[in-house]
Amino acid sequence: MAIDIQKMNEDFNNFFNKYRNCKFEGATDEEDYVADADEILARYEDAAVSEEEKHALARQCDLLGCKIMMYTDNRKGPEYYHKAIALWPDSYDVHWGYYTTLEEIVENEEYATPELIQDAIDCLTFCIDYCDTPELCREHYINNRYIELGRVYMAAGEFAKAKECAEKSLALEYTESADQLLRRASAKCFSE
């Protein structure tokens, strides 16, 4: 059964408008948001069969994940991103969007979990592998993706992998960030 993408987008726009000013401060704000989001997803998730339908739904899941993860500690945020990736597994933008939401979380010991760190590694690894031409490498600043991956490996305590990422970034272009990462990772490797 095909879905009406325009109707789906209207439903999600109405949902996002309903919660436009929600700061998730009320006792049930978060629960109401997630319940309403899940209700809309239930209408469309199994019905999305064409690539166009899946991609349109993936964009909505991406937005849901971002909102939940940016404003709450609710565990549904990553689930929405995982749905987006499952619907559109070869999308650079979906993987990159999830990583940018995870970026500050994975380097914060209070919020980082092994699962979120692994998600960040998976997203950045995808983004790096996606850049398989010189044009894509330039367009997506591949040397910066290596630095970001190295920082995630530092947060994970995988200092040898962080050092390797810094070296790959420096091989592409010298930056102060890559040089600093290399020094930090090398010092940690040496002290182990």
Side-chain angles (χ1 to χ4, degrees):
M1 173 174 109
I3 62 174
D4 180 341
I5 293 173
Q6 183 175 345
K7 170 75 171 110
M8 180 189 71
N9 287 337
E10 287 173 13
D11 288 348
F12 275 102
N13 285 339
N14 291 336
F15 166 81
F16 287 118
N17 283 333
K18 176 180 178 181
Y19 290 99
R20 177 183 311 276
N21 296 317
C22 182
K23 302 281 193 256
F24 298 103
E25 295 168 348
T28 62
D29 286 354
E30 191 176 311
E31 293 162 9
D32 292 345
Y33 183 94
V34 169
D36 286 354
D38 286 346
E39 187 272 323
I40 295 173
L41 279 174
R43 273 188 261 155
Y44 295 105
E45 195 168 12
D46 291 335
V49 290
S50 74
E51 291 301 304
E52 182 183 14
E53 293 165 347
K54 289 178 181 180
H55 296 174
L57 188 56
R59 287 184 194 97
Q60 301 299 343
C61 290
D62 185 61
L63 291 172
L64 291 169
C66 181
K67 178 88 171 185
I68 285 290
M69 289 184 72
M70 296 303 284
Y71 295 105
T72 77
D73 294 328
N74 191 294
R75 295 181 183 262
K76 285 295 266 194
E79 287 181 32
Y80 294 134
Y81 274 115
H82 290 188
K83 288 177 188 272
I85 290 169
L87 288 161
W88 199 353
D90 59 347
S91 170
Y92 181 95
D93 293 336
V94 170
H95 286 85
W96 177 245
Y98 186 25
Y99 168 71
T100 60
T101 302
L102 289 169
E103 186 172 15
E104 292 179 25
I105 295 170
V106 297
E107 293 186 38
N108 183 326
E109 290 179 12
E110 183 179 345
Y111 295 108
T113 65
E115 295 81 16
L116 294 178
I117 289 172
Q118 188 59 53
D119 281 356
I121 290 168
D122 293 345
C123 286
L124 285 168
T125 300
F126 174 89
C127 289
I128 289 168
D129 292 345
Y130 180 88
C131 297
D132 59 358
T133 66
E135 295 79 22
L136 286 172
C137 288
R138 280 190 302 279
E139 178 182 339
H140 295 293
Y141 303 97
I142 194 77
N143 59 310
N144 292 341
R145 300 303 79 87
Y146 279 115
I147 294 168
E148 290 151 349
L149 182 57
R151 287 180 22 224
V152 174
Y153 279 130
M154 289 293 290
E158 296 185 41
F159 308 119
K161 288 183 179 181
K163 182 177 180 262
E164 186 180 312
C165 288
E167 289 168 345
K168 287 180 180 180
S169 179
L170 286 167
L172 294 167
E173 175 184 348
Y174 176 84
T175 63
E176 187 70 29
S177 297
D179 190 51
Q180 288 174 356
L181 175 63
L182 180 60
R183 283 189 233 162
R184 284 187 9 246
S186 296
K188 290 286 191 178
C189 285
F190 183 70
S191 68
E192 288 189 319

